[in-house]
């Protein structure tokens, strides 16, 4: 299968492949050729060779070194270090404290790169930073102050090394190009590592990514990454798999180029990534004072992969990912040849995604008015006006990307035309900014009209450089999900983001703000490799970073601000669940951004109750009120249990309990065995960010379950489990609808006994004209597949916090 972006740049093989001597690929088959090769190499046939070949991947070697389990086909991983930023670490530390944390038992870096502007909510952002420093002192952590480094830049510079595994509470935790398997997860999984517990999962499929050729001038890492995402996102081949990069094309890529591709593998829905390493990576680590962290990593002489993606680097052209997903990829030249049709398609998609209800009668996305004739920057007669360019973060803010942008802008002498187009550049760390200042790159960018900002992730999630209404922003960042840039559709505020590489963004700036491909620039302008060599100077870190690992100060008090709240009490799972469907989402995929919006809501992530009020606010504004009504019914149940009476004071619910007692075997239903709450239905929830708050906010509002046809990522499903929310799956379309009541009897017994399938029923109240008729009862089946013992224990306890307070599994 070829990518839609061009028939030869990316091809995908969905079947297994054998790799001989790190270079020769043969498809898995019954062919005499393969049988002969295996017999000649190993003296045995395919089936007996398969186990050895599976162990020949780089992935297997690293996972085996970190596995503490004994069950075949499953992993119980212990990581080497942890990383979080300032919209995740407060909740993680608060959760760990509630679970009995005494000190950090492995290196844990707390960076401050998301709420570092301290621009929303008064003092609360800086209060979180102060809390983080006090926690690093108390428990023995590493604290990176605001504006000093983007989380992944800091980890690349100081922590990643060959053969390691790093767990981060950010979905773009990817350090595979440096030889480290990075995994992005919700906070609960980091808590488990802090408590000495393991990260448990089924052994992942391993998908090979074979690189050949070399990038043409004007093509950067984002172009290759977008070509990869566009080719694999929709077919599910790499979902929750480990991607393993090998092949001769790797040698043509600098370490930063490789890292720029690697960090975007998150957008393929893979679980982790790893690359072959070489002398180029050794030199990179040596420049950063860590040559001893280098380890040569290569597949064994015989390795087996569950699928293969082939990328011909020489065929990749400058790319653009149109709204509203990194997989909506086209060659820039192809887009500019006739942009009208594609932009009209984006407008229609926006209406489908946002929904007329969310738009509340206000205008939707309007991008076609940015097209006019003129033909500048592309192959055809059209040109597309852009309002804003951003080069930032873990993907864009690298030394080489910014140097390349500077080289392109210098001859033009300007970034845009007048005040209509703005260009902002965010170096990923202060050491990078220091070197850019020393070699003159920064002064050239400033003279051209670019604005230089400090290390900050805000443009990636809507907390910085939010465009004007109906603005079009081109960004070398990681995501362009709906509303990711800061839109508020219910208020009539909608902008759009397209992803591009820094080189084509700079070409657009030099073209007066009209979209352009860097490939069309003169070769002399693209000689980025001829510029100054990077010299790493960690003086900013030595001056400001607090390094307290292995030196905890338990007497240090944690410093709380008024917005930092404790988790509310959570009950264990009852024998039966009675749930109200409080959200019913039929989109093909629901992102964690939609469940808990980014942007200004990030400032309240240290306050569980206040944050919960934003749940689904941009996708289904009625969800919170519906969930709270179900939560009030649960409070009424508790009052009835404590007072020895019946359920009273909450409309609809008492009649439902009466109806339950009429079901077979439930005539003696005891309210002490029942839990009442809400549930969310979505077709495939959980794509995107690792943010655990997408689950914890549902829990704070009394959520007990998610219903889905499938879960987009392992990390979202893990987040649900760690917060005591049962991740049910359906076989086919749901029989319930928004506002229905769902009863799940004996769910506690089913989980205790390890039964995957359970029977449930919909209780649909009669229409008003039916009087006192009983509810309609519709039976259906549910599944809770592949739950481990620790996962079942967390669900039975009602949360990971409860489980640990009671002594663990």
């Amino acid at each position: 299968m070829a990518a839609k972006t061009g028939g030869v740049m990316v091809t995908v093989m969905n079947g297994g492949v054998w790799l001989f001597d790190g270079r020769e690929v043969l498809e898995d088959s019954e062919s005499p050729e393969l049988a002969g090769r295996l017999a000649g190499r190993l003296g045995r046939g395919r089936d007996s060779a398969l186990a050895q070949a599976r162990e020949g991947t780089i992935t297997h070697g690293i996972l085996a070194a970190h596995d503490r389990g004994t069950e075949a086909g499953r992993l119980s991983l212990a990581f080497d270090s942890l990383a979080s930023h300032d919209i995740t670490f407060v909740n993680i530390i608060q959760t760990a404290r509630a679970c009995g944390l005494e000190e950090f038992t492995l290196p844990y870096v707390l960076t401050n790169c998301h709420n570092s502007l301290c621009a929303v909510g008064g003092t609360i952002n800086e209060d979180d930073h102060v809390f983080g420093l006090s926690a690093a002192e108390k428990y023995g952590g590493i604290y990176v102050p605001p504006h000093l480094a983007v989380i992944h830049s800091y980890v690349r510079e100081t922590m990643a090394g060959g053969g390691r595994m790093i767990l981060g509470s950010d979905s773009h935790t990817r350090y595979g190009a440096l030889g480290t398997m990075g995994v992005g997860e919700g906070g609960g999984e980091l808590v488990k590592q802090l408590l000495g517990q393991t990260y448990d999962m089924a052994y992942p499929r391993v998908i090979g990514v074979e690189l050949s050729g070399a990038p043409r001038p004007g093509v950067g890492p984002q172009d290759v990454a977008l070509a990869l995402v566009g080719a694999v996102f929709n077919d599910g081949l790499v979902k929750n798999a480990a991607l393993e990069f090998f092949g001769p094309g790797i040698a043509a890529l600098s370490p930063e180029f490789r890292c720029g591709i690697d960090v975007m593998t998150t957008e393929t829905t893979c679980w982790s990534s790893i690359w072959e390493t070489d002398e180029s990576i050794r030199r990179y680590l040596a420049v950063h004072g860590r040559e001893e962290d280098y380890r040569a990593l290569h597949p064994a002489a015989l390795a087996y992969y569950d699928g293969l993606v082939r990328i011909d680097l020489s065929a990749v052209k400058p790319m653009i990912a149109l709204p509203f997903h990194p997989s909506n990829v086209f060659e820039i030249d192809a887009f500019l040849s006739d942009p009208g049709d594609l932009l009209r398609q984006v407008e229609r998609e926006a209406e489908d995604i946002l929904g007329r209800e969310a738009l509340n009668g206000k205008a939707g996305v309007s991008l076609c008015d940015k097209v006019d004739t003129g033909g500048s920057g592309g192959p055809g007669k059209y040109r597309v006006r852009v309002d804003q360019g951003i080069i930032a973060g873990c993907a864009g803010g690298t030394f080489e990307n910014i140097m390349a942008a500077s080289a392109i802008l210098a001859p033009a002498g300007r970034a845009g035309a007048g005040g209509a187009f703005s260009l902002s550049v965010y170096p990923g760390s202060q050491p990078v900014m220091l070197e850019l200042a020393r070699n003159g790159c920064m002064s050239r960018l400033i003279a051209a009209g670019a604005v230089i900002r400090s290390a900050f992730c805000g443009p990636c999630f809507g907390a910085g450089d939010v465009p004007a209404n109906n603005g079009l922003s081109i960004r070398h960042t990681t995501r362009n999900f709906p509303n990711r840039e800061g839109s508020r559709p219910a208020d009539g505020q909608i902008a759009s983001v397209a992803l591009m590489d820094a080189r084509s963004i700079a070409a657009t700036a030099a073209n007066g703000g009209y979209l352009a491909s860097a490939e069309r620039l003169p070769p002399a302008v693209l000689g980025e490799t001829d510029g100054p060599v990077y010299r790493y100077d960690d003086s900013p870190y030595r001056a400001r970073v607090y390094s307290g690992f292995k030196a905890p100060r338990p007497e240090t008090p944690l410093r709380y601000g008024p917005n930092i709240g404790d988790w509310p009490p959570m009950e264990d799972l009852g024998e039966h669940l009675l749930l109200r469907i409080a959200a019913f989402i039929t989109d093909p995929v629901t992102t964690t951004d939609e469940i808990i919006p980014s942007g200004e809501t990030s400032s309240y992530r240290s306050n569980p109750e206040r944050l919960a009020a934003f749940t689904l606010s941009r996708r289904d504004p009625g969800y919170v009120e519906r969930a709270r009504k179900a939560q009030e019914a649960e409070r009424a149940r508790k009052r009835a249990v404590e007072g020895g009476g019946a359920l009273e004071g909450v409309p609809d619910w008492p009649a439902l309990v009466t109806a339950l007692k009429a079901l077979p075997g439930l005539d003696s239903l005891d309210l002490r065995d029942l839990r009442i709450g809400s549930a969310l239905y979505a077709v495939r929830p959980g794509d995107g960010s690792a943010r655990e708050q997408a689950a914890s906010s549902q829990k704070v509002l009394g959520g007990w379950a998610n219903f889905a046809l499938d879960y987009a990522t392992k990390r979202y499903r893990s987040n649900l489990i760690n917060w005591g929310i049962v991740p049910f799956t359906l076989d086919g379309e749901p029989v319930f609808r928004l506002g229905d009541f769902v009863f799940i009897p004996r769910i506690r017994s089913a989980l205790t006994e390890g039964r995957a399938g359970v029977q449930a029923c919909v209780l649909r109240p009669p229409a008003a004209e039916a009087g006192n008729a009983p509810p309609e009862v519709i039976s259906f089946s549910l599944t809770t597949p592949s739950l481990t013992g620790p996962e079942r224990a967390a669900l039975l306890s009602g949360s990971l916090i409860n489980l640990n307070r009671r002594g663990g599994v």
Side-chain angles (χ1 to χ4, degrees):
M1 180 180 68
K4 68 179 179 181
T5 49
V8 296
M9 67 174 75
V10 183
T11 55
V12 179
M13 298 168 63
N14 287 282
V17 300
W18 299 74
L19 179 67
F20 291 85
D21 301 317
R23 290 296 180 263
E24 185 181 0
V25 173
L26 288 180
E27 291 189 57
D28 191 25
S29 68
E30 301 295 330
S31 70
E33 179 185 6
L34 177 61
R37 291 293 300 273
L38 293 174
R41 177 68 61 94
L42 301 176
R44 57 184 189 271
R46 179 217 179 260
D47 292 343
S48 59
L50 186 58
Q52 178 181 333
R54 286 190 180 277
E55 294 180 359
T57 64
I58 303 170
T59 300
H60 179 272
I62 295 177
L63 294 181
H66 292 81
D67 186 17
R68 303 296 180 263
T70 58
E71 183 181 350
R74 298 202 67 86
L75 295 168
S76 296
L77 298 172
F79 287 78
D80 297 297
S81 52
L82 309 176
S84 293
H85 49 64
D86 51 341
I87 54 176
T88 58
F89 66 60
V90 176
N91 281 169
I92 291 169
I93 293 165
Q94 288 285 77
T95 302
R97 284 184 63 246
C99 292
L101 174 70
E102 293 183 355
E103 70 174 84
F104 297 157
T105 55
L106 69 169
Y108 185 18
V109 60
L110 312 176
T111 67
N112 294 272
C113 52
H114 279 59
N115 277 341
S116 46
L117 286 185
C118 302
V120 177
T123 71
I124 61 178
N125 294 163
E126 185 63 12
D127 289 344
D128 288 350
H129 303 155
V130 170
F131 174 90
L133 177 57
S134 69
E137 293 172 345
K138 183 178 185 69
Y139 299 116
I142 302 162
Y143 175 84
V144 183
H147 305 288
L148 225 59
V150 165
I151 178 173
H152 304 308
S153 297
Y154 183 82
V155 174
R156 289 172 193 153
E157 292 168 345
T158 67
M159 298 174 73
R164 294 177 182 169
M165 292 196 75
I166 295 178
L167 185 66
S169 56
D170 183 272
S171 56
H172 292 99
T173 303
R174 292 285 187 270
Y175 316 114
L178 303 179
T180 293
M181 292 191 75
V183 177
E185 274 285 0
E189 294 301 322
L190 277 77
V191 169
K192 289 162 65 177
Q193 294 289 308
L194 290 172
L195 299 175
Q197 300 166 13
T198 55
Y199 177 98
D200 303 314
M201 63 178 289
Y203 200 95
R205 292 172 301 113
V206 183
I207 306 298
V209 182
E210 183 183 30
L211 301 181
S212 62
R216 61 179 74 189
V219 168
Q222 188 79 325
D223 298 314
V224 179
L226 292 177
L228 172 62
V229 174
V232 304
F233 175 80
N234 288 312
D235 70 2
L237 173 66
V238 307
K239 177 184 173 183
N240 293 331
L243 295 188
E244 183 162 313
F245 289 75
F246 63 86
I250 289 179
L253 307 178
S254 71
E256 285 198 347
F257 200 116
R258 301 177 203 182
C259 288
I261 299 170
D262 187 59
V263 75
M264 288 293 292
T265 60
T266 296
E267 305 312 321
T268 70
T269 71
C270 77
W271 171 70
S272 186
S273 61
I274 193 68
W275 292 55
E276 281 192 280
T277 59
D278 56 17
E279 288 302 305
S280 182
I281 299 301
R282 184 196 295 275
R283 289 191 295 271
Y284 175 92
L285 293 171
V287 165
H288 290 82
R290 299 191 295 116
E291 186 173 4
E292 69 279 3
D293 291 339
Y294 173 75
R295 179 177 164 190
L297 300 174
H298 303 284
L302 181 65
Y304 181 87
Y305 297 93
D306 298 292
L308 182 70
V309 180
R310 279 182 158 143
I311 303 177
D312 179 358
L313 296 169
S314 64
V316 176
K317 300 189 70 176
M319 313 296 287
I320 183 170
L322 296 176
F324 295 95
H325 199 274
S327 64
N328 193 18
V329 178
F330 301 88
E331 294 174 0
I332 292 177
D333 281 351
F335 168 66
L336 288 176
S337 66
D338 189 9
D341 283 346
L342 291 175
L343 292 179
R344 278 187 288 274
Q345 181 177 326
V346 170
E347 292 174 353
R348 290 192 294 269
E349 185 177 351
E351 189 168 286
D352 291 340
I353 292 172
L354 301 172
R356 295 185 182 274
E357 180 183 351
L359 292 173
N360 198 24
K362 301 178 176 67
V365 172
S366 177
L367 294 176
C368 289
D369 58 2
K370 299 185 181 300
V371 179
D372 61 29
T373 56
S376 179
K381 62 181 180 179
Y382 300 103
R383 61 181 186 174
V384 176
R385 177 173 48 83
V386 178
D387 301 290
Q388 180 191 73
I390 305 288
I391 301 170
C394 56
T398 66
F399 176 78
E400 289 179 2
N401 285 335
I402 296 171
M403 288 293 296
S406 174
I408 291 168
L409 281 171
R414 64 175 186 174
F421 174 88
S422 65
L423 176 65
S424 295
V425 178
Y426 295 72
S429 72
Q430 284 291 86
V432 169
M433 182 178 283
L434 180 59
E435 183 61 13
L436 294 172
R438 285 173 171 168
N439 69 23
C441 174
M442 190 180 301
S443 61
R444 291 192 295 273
L445 286 169
I446 293 172
V451 176
I452 309 298
R453 305 189 188 273
S454 59
F456 179 44
C457 298
C460 192
F461 67 97
D465 276 311
V466 176
N469 186 54
N470 203 41
L472 175 61
S473 178
I474 53 175
R475 302 186 176 191
H476 193 156
T477 56
T478 57
R479 287 196 174 128
N480 61 338
F481 292 171
N483 309 323
R484 181 84 179 184
E485 76 300 309
S487 295
R488 297 169 63 95
D491 295 329
Q493 303 170 22
I494 303 177
S496 301
V497 165
L499 299 182
M500 289 169 46
D501 188 83
R503 292 147 189 80
S504 290
I505 292 174
T508 300
N511 194 40
Y514 286 92
L515 194 72
S517 165
E519 190 178 27
R520 295 188 165 271
L521 295 170
V525 174
L526 299 173
E528 56 197 72
T529 56
D530 301 329
V533 175
Y534 180 59
R535 300 167 300 171
Y536 174 71
D537 183 346
D538 69 347
S539 296
Y541 294 159
R542 287 185 279 112
R544 296 291 316 281
V545 172
Y546 176 80
S547 297
F549 180 56
K550 294 186 177 179
R553 300 174 184 172
E555 72 281 1
T556 303
L558 292 174
R559 295 183 59 183
Y560 286 88
N563 189 58
I564 297 176
D566 291 327
W567 293 108
M570 300 174 197
E571 282 201 276
D572 60 357
L573 181 67
E575 177 66 9
H576 316 293
L577 284 175
L578 177 57
L579 308 173
R580 187 79 180 265
I581 303 299
F584 192 93
I585 302 172
T586 58
D587 301 339
V589 177
T590 301
T591 68
T592 51
D593 274 70
E594 293 172 283
I595 299 174
I596 279 293
S598 55
E600 80 279 10
T601 62
S602 300
S603 296
Y604 302 104
R605 291 200 194 170
S606 300
N607 187 325
E609 298 280 359
R610 194 167 182 184
L611 178 69
F614 292 98
T615 310
L616 285 169
S617 59
R618 294 181 187 168
R619 181 59 187 83
D620 183 359
Y623 166 80
V624 171
E625 182 180 359
R626 298 182 204 113
R628 283 179 170 160
K629 287 182 178 179
Q631 194 172 34
E632 182 53 42
E634 171 63 7
R635 296 190 183 106
R637 182 199 68 82
K638 291 179 183 178
R639 291 194 297 269
V641 168
E642 292 167 1
L647 188 68
E648 295 178 349
V650 281
D652 296 331
W653 296 92
L656 289 166
V657 173
T658 300
L660 292 180
K661 294 182 179 182
L663 296 176
L666 290 170
D667 55 314
S668 59
L669 174 68
D670 191 325
L671 287 179
R672 288 174 296 185
D673 296 329
L674 182 67
R675 298 292 181 270
I676 295 175
S678 58
L680 176 153
Y681 168 76
V683 174
R684 189 169 172 242
D687 188 25
S689 172
R691 65 187 66 161
E692 65 175 304
Q693 294 89 353
S696 65
S697 292
Q698 295 178 56
K699 185 67 171 184
V700 169
L701 292 169
W704 276 107
N706 271 201
F707 300 112
L709 302 186
D710 186 23
Y711 291 90
T713 58
K714 175 202 172 295
R715 55 183 174 265
Y716 177 69
R717 185 174 175 276
S718 295
N719 287 339
L720 294 175
I721 292 168
N722 286 330
W723 287 104
I725 297 175
V726 186
F728 291 112
T729 55
L730 302 166
D731 184 13
E733 295 298 314
V735 298
F736 52 77
R737 59 197 183 206
L738 181 65
D740 276 349
F741 298 88
V742 173
F743 179 60
I744 309 170
R746 303 176 184 88
I747 178 60
R748 186 176 185 89
S749 294
L751 291 175
T752 301
E753 297 163 11
R755 287 187 278 118
V758 294
Q759 289 299 118
C761 63
V762 176
L763 297 172
R764 186 168 293 158
E769 59 270 18
N772 294 321
E776 179 185 5
V777 178
I778 308 170
S779 297
F780 67 103
S781 298
L782 290 169
T783 304
T784 56
S786 303
L787 289 171
T788 66
E791 288 175 335
R792 288 197 302 271
L795 290 172
L796 291 169
S797 299
S799 68
L800 182 66
I801 291 176
N802 288 354
L803 176 63
N804 282 287
R805 279 176 170 166
R806 296 166 188 172
V809 180

